Amino acid sequence: MSESSYQWLERVRDMRSVFERQKAIANQDAFPDYTQRIESLKRLRRAIKGHHNVLQQALSDDYGHRAFGDTEIADILPLIHQIDYTRRRLKRWMKPQKRRPGITLLGTKLAVHQQPKGVVGIVVPWNFPIMLAVSPLICALAAGNRVMLKLSEFTPNTNRVLRELIADVFSPKEVAVIEGEVEVSRRFTELEFDHLFFTGSTQVGRQVMLAAADNLTPVTLELGGKSPVIIDDQIDMDVAVSRLIYGKCLNAGQICVAPDYVLCPEHRQEAFIHAYQQAFRAMYPDFEANQDYSQIVNQTQVTRLEETLQDALDKGARRWCALDQKTIPTAEKRCWPTQLLTHVTDDMRVMQEEVFGPLLPIVTYQDFAEALHYIQARPRPLALYLMSNDAEKRSQVTTQLHAGGMGINETLFHVAAEDAPFGGIGDSGMGHYHGIEGFYTFSHSKTVLTRDKWDTSFLVKPPYNRWYKRLMRWWLLR
């Protein structure tokens, strides 16, 4: 149900008021110390653990059914680990970094201080509303910022729990939760944030960047795109499928780094389909009653996927259900087993748009160079996966193809690496978070030059024609 004009205007006024209060506090307390930041992270960790089961149930309610295991593995546990990782390293990250001033600045000291940016806005999507709200929040708090979270209108039950969790830990002057539909989201991105962090589609990401440009607000865009999986002609097909199928089935494929399509040697396509069907049935026995597989989030997304599937079939694609051919996905059903698609062409929606669901097109190739060229000719993906034990092919893909991140003989799990950045490139996004890169994203690297008693600046000030200055210039330019 859409909001009335009165409701969203009230929300916008409240949002502006919260922003101005946070901005004022950020100006007064511009550099929260280490103890403050650590205490915030400790309180947040306790709250997440305390709301563990409630969060799982709330997200399942939003989806109709969201596997508790999906939420635990992809939302809850990574946040606990991220907080622990950050706490162990934060003191070192905050320490000013000594730099070399060089001979021309003789007599000075040089250091780089990581200063909080101020007030950060975080726009949260519906597919992982816990993880994608709290993970950037952890980075922003570690960097010493105030934060406003704009939650998705498609996950009201999860939002309620997150709102309670945040209120238990922080005052609105520290972290505030904002809710509302499209108009509120648009007004949120127009606020004069010191940094804006957005996770969502490429199309909406462009609009967010335009809104931020009016305020010269720096942005981090975590977008999506069509993440390919290349299967080479030598790897054991059962192994290849076992390494990619979880990445496609977790959250029913509603993941920005899920395998979006497979590049498979033409002579191995039938083997891939057979191996995928076998693996799917083993992972999800008694599918209709299975609690380990999540539903598609809402009717809008089901309808989109059905239209995408029908468009492909109308244009000549063939469908292979991972479960059995008798299981035909429709808009009335929200629990779809993976639908493998062969004979796909570039004019099909499934090959033009990010799938974001349980459809998996298979594109065949004759030789490996053809597969590389296919990816090079398209927008740079958020993730790139290679199934190969060949060292030369691994090197080719790593060095010749651009992607936000890459997995070799694995999918999805590179996102869980705590000590490595996560982010897109080109159409799949800009900027990074996780690890120290996340701390830097929400910090301003401020250079501080200090000159004490020994003043050598006369060596570079006018008048320039003194003999010792001419000698110095000769020596420096020799």
Side-chain angles (χ1 to χ4, degrees):
M1 184 181 295
S2 61
E3 294 177 303
S4 68
S5 297
Y6 176 78
Q7 285 176 312
W8 72 255
L9 280 170
E10 281 293 304
R11 289 179 185 269
V12 168
R13 280 195 288 267
D14 291 344
M15 183 170 66
R16 165 59 68 175
S17 177
V18 169
F19 171 78
E20 289 175 352
R21 287 200 301 270
Q22 285 201 357
K23 195 75 172 176
I25 295 296
N27 289 335
Q28 293 171 15
D29 184 14
F31 203 101
D33 62 24
Y34 170 77
T35 302
Q36 290 175 274
R37 302 185 198 189
I38 285 293
E39 185 56 35
S40 293
L41 294 176
K42 286 180 179 178
R43 297 198 314 266
L44 182 58
R45 188 187 194 278
R46 286 195 296 269
I48 293 169
K49 287 192 69 176
H51 289 78
H52 180 181
N53 295 328
V54 183
L55 284 166
Q56 287 178 307
Q57 184 61 59
L59 193 46
S60 185
D61 291 343
D62 283 327
Y63 269 67
H65 173 68
R66 202 339 168 85
F68 276 33
D70 284 2
T71 301
E72 184 169 70
I73 291 169
D75 285 279
I76 306 296
L77 291 177
L79 295 176
I80 299 296
H81 294 160
Q82 183 182 351
I83 291 174
D84 292 343
Y85 171 90
T86 302
R87 285 169 54 195
R88 289 193 297 268
R89 291 161 177 80
L90 183 57
K91 184 174 289 187
R92 183 168 74 248
W93 294 349
M94 290 179 64
K95 188 177 180 180
Q97 302 168 10
K98 292 182 179 180
R99 301 294 179 92
R100 295 171 61 87
I103 189 67
T104 57
L105 297 175
L106 193 67
T108 66
K109 297 175 183 177
L110 195 64
V112 176
H113 295 247
Q114 299 302 327
Q115 180 174 325
K117 287 190 172 179
V119 179
V120 170
I122 298 174
V123 182
V124 184
W126 53 260
N127 62 324
F128 289 95
I130 305 168
M131 174 67 177
L132 296 177
V134 181
S135 181
L137 173 63
I138 293 167
C139 298
L141 291 173
N145 297 283
R146 313 283 162 168
V147 181
M148 293 176 66
L149 290 167
K150 169 58 184 71
L151 304 182
S152 170
E153 65 270 29
F154 299 118
T155 53
N157 294 293
T158 307
N159 294 358
R160 174 181 50 78
V161 179
L162 282 174
R163 190 169 59 246
E164 293 170 358
L165 184 156
I166 294 296
D168 287 346
V169 178
F170 304 103
S171 76
K173 295 177 183 179
E174 297 172 299
V175 181
V177 173
I178 307 298
E179 294 183 77
E181 298 186 9
V182 175
E183 188 60 30
V184 175
S185 297
R186 185 177 69 81
R187 297 299 184 95
F188 183 86
T189 60
E190 292 173 353
L191 292 172
E192 302 88 347
F193 288 115
D194 298 297
H195 194 96
L196 184 58
F197 188 100
F198 171 82
T199 304
S201 70
T202 302
Q203 179 183 3
V204 178
R206 290 191 174 96
Q207 297 171 13
V208 169
M209 195 168 183
L210 280 172
D214 284 341
N215 300 315
L216 294 180
T217 297
V219 296
T220 299
L221 300 177
E222 296 297 342
L223 309 178
K226 302 190 70 62
S227 298
V229 181
I230 309 172
I231 297 177
D232 81 356
D233 56 2
Q234 297 296 323
I235 192 168
D236 181 276
M237 189 59 77
D238 290 333
V239 171
V241 168
S242 72
R243 302 292 178 81
L244 72 85
I245 191 168
Y246 181 68
K248 188 62 183 177
C249 292
L250 179 69
N251 204 32
Q254 298 166 108
I255 311 175
C256 58
V257 290
D260 198 274
Y261 66 95
V262 172
L263 281 160
C264 181
E266 187 172 27
H267 69 278
R268 307 195 75 191
Q269 177 176 266
E270 185 176 340
F272 174 79
I273 295 171
H274 177 73
Y276 195 100
Q277 290 173 327
Q278 292 288 103
F280 187 90
R281 294 163 190 166
M283 284 177 66
Y284 304 106
D286 191 15
F287 183 76
E288 294 297 328
N290 196 293
Q291 295 297 299
D292 291 337
Y293 195 81
S294 297
Q295 289 190 1
I296 298 164
V297 65
N298 56 36
Q299 202 59 47
T300 300
Q301 293 300 316
V302 176
T303 300
R304 176 187 64 82
L305 287 163
E306 186 191 39
E307 291 173 351
T308 301
L309 174 59
Q310 192 58 52
D311 172 78
L313 297 176
D314 290 345
K315 292 174 180 174
R318 292 187 62 189
R319 179 185 73 89
W320 305 87
C321 181
L323 189 61
D324 59 65
Q325 289 303 98
K326 296 178 183 178
T327 303
I328 300 174
T330 65
E332 288 72 40
K333 297 179 180 179
R334 285 171 57 188
C335 195
W336 289 18
T338 311
Q339 304 298 305
L340 307 170
L341 296 172
T342 60
H343 299 83
V344 293
T345 54
D346 286 346
D347 64 331
M348 298 175 182
R349 280 178 56 179
V350 75
M351 295 308 298
Q352 295 173 350
E353 304 169 1
E354 184 179 6
V355 171
F356 222 73
L359 305 178
L360 185 59
I362 304 169
V363 178
T364 59
Y365 67 87
Q366 298 295 328
D367 61 69
F368 199 70
E370 181 186 348
L372 300 187
H373 178 73
Y374 187 92
I375 296 172
Q376 287 171 332
R378 285 158 176 77
R380 295 170 175 178
L382 183 56
L384 169 64
Y385 304 117
L386 171 66
M387 302 297 158
S388 175
N389 294 316
D390 185 301
E392 184 177 351
K393 289 176 180 175
R394 290 181 176 188
S395 177
Q396 280 183 285
V397 173
T398 302
T399 59
Q400 295 181 25
L401 299 181
H402 285 87
M406 182 177 169
I408 298 175
N409 292 342
E410 191 53 87
T411 60
L412 196 66
F413 286 104
H414 68 287
V415 180
E418 296 163 355
D419 197 28
F422 173 72
I425 181 172
D427 280 20
S428 61
M430 64 176 66
H432 299 90
Y433 71 123
H434 295 187
I436 194 170
E437 282 80 8
F439 177 80
Y440 287 151
T441 287
F442 294 106
S443 302
H444 170 65
S445 298
K446 182 169 70 176
T447 296
V448 178
L449 183 143
T450 304
R451 188 184 296 279
D452 290 323
K453 293 182 179 180
W454 187 26
D455 184 4
T456 60
S457 63
F458 72 92
L459 292 171
V460 296
K461 295 176 182 176
Y464 296 123
N465 62 352
R466 296 286 192 263
W467 68 268
Y468 54 86
K469 294 182 181 180
R470 293 199 301 270
L471 179 63
M472 185 180 71
R473 288 199 299 273
W474 170 83
W475 186 78
L476 291 173
L477 295 171
R478 70 192 190 283

